[in-house]
Amino acid sequence: MTQSQKLHPGARFPDITLPRLGGGTLTLAQPENGHDWRMIVVYRGKHCPICTRYLRELNDAVPDLNQLGVDLVAVSADPVEKVEEQMAQVQPAYAVGHDLTPDQMQTLGLYVSDPRSPQETDRPFAEPAIFVVNAEGNLQIVDIANAPFLRPDLKLLIGGIRFIRDPENNYPIRGTHL
C-alpha cells in the first residue's frame, strides 16, 4: 500500500483543476467571486449521508465565509451523475467539483478508502479534508481525516479564520515545523 505525503501548512497549494458541476472547470486554489482566500472541502461522495448533512451545513457558512473574503468549493471523486443527484438534495450555495482522481488525492495527501461493497460506491474515494488557502496561495489551515465522522465544527472554524484574518492579531501559519 502506498502512503501519501501530507501537505504542510505554509506550503503552496498544488495546482489542481477539476470539472465543475454545471460545466467548465474549477482550479482548486484559485478564489472566485472577488474573494482572496479559498476553503476547499473534500467530501467522500454520494454514498455518505454524513457528507450530505455537512454539505448542507456549508450552505449556512457561505455568508460568513464570504464576509471574511473566503470563497468555498466542495470536491469529491464521484462522477458528475452522482454529484448531480447528491447536489439536488444539497442545493449548494458554492461551487462543486467532481472526478477527483487517485493521483490528485495522493497529491493532496488525502486518506483514500475502498468501498465496502459495490452498493456503497464503485471506486476508491477520499476521506474528508478541509484546506484553507490564503491570498498568497499557501496553506493556512489543513485538516485531513481518515473517517467520515471527523469534521471540523464550522462555527469554530469560521471564528478561527476571522481571528487569523484580523491584521491586529498578526497570527502566523501554525504547524510549520516538521
Side-chain angles (χ1 to χ4, degrees):
M1 179 182 306
T2 304
Q3 295 292 322
S4 63
Q5 291 284 60
K6 301 299 172 221
L7 296 178
H8 294 282
R12 189 130 192 91
F13 192 82
D15 185 25
I16 294 178
T17 299
L18 296 175
R20 177 193 296 261
L21 183 64
T25 58
L26 193 59
T27 301
L28 295 189
Q30 188 173 54
E32 298 176 349
N33 306 311
H35 304 296
D36 62 344
W37 282 34
R38 178 167 261 181
M39 186 164 95
I40 301 140
V41 176
V42 178
Y43 67 98
R44 300 171 84 226
K46 179 181 178 285
H47 67 278
C48 177
I50 298 171
C51 291
T52 301
R53 186 179 74 232
Y54 199 75
L55 291 166
R56 284 185 186 133
E57 290 173 11
L58 285 172
N59 280 328
D60 295 335
V62 169
D64 290 332
L65 288 167
N66 289 172
Q67 183 182 31
L68 294 169
V70 181
D71 188 32
L72 175 64
V73 62
V75 301
S76 77
D78 274 354
V80 67
E81 300 80 20
K82 287 186 178 187
V83 173
E84 287 172 339
E85 289 175 30
Q86 187 175 25
M87 293 308 140
Q89 298 172 34
V90 172
Q91 296 295 309
Y94 46 85
V96 177
H98 53 88
D99 289 296
L100 189 66
T101 69
D103 284 346
Q104 291 167 329
M105 290 180 220
Q106 185 173 15
T107 297
L108 292 173
L110 302 172
Y111 292 106
V112 179
S113 295
D114 289 320
R116 293 182 302 162
S117 69
Q119 290 73 38
E120 183 177 50
T121 190
D122 61 350
R123 64 187 69 202
F125 55 89
E127 293 294 345
I130 291 182
F131 303 101
V132 178
V133 179
N134 64 27
E136 290 75 41
N138 298 326
L139 276 166
Q140 184 77 37
I141 299 172
V142 179
D143 184 82
I144 301 173
N146 74 319
F149 30 81
L150 298 172
R151 298 167 197 251
D153 175 277
L154 290 171
K155 287 185 172 130
L156 185 62
L157 179 57
I158 290 166
I161 293 170
R162 182 175 289 109
F163 185 84
I164 292 168
R165 298 235 46 194
D166 183 339
E168 290 187 24
N169 293 325
N170 194 29
Y171 196 78
I173 297 172
R174 309 311 295 178
T176 57
H177 289 275
L178 299 178

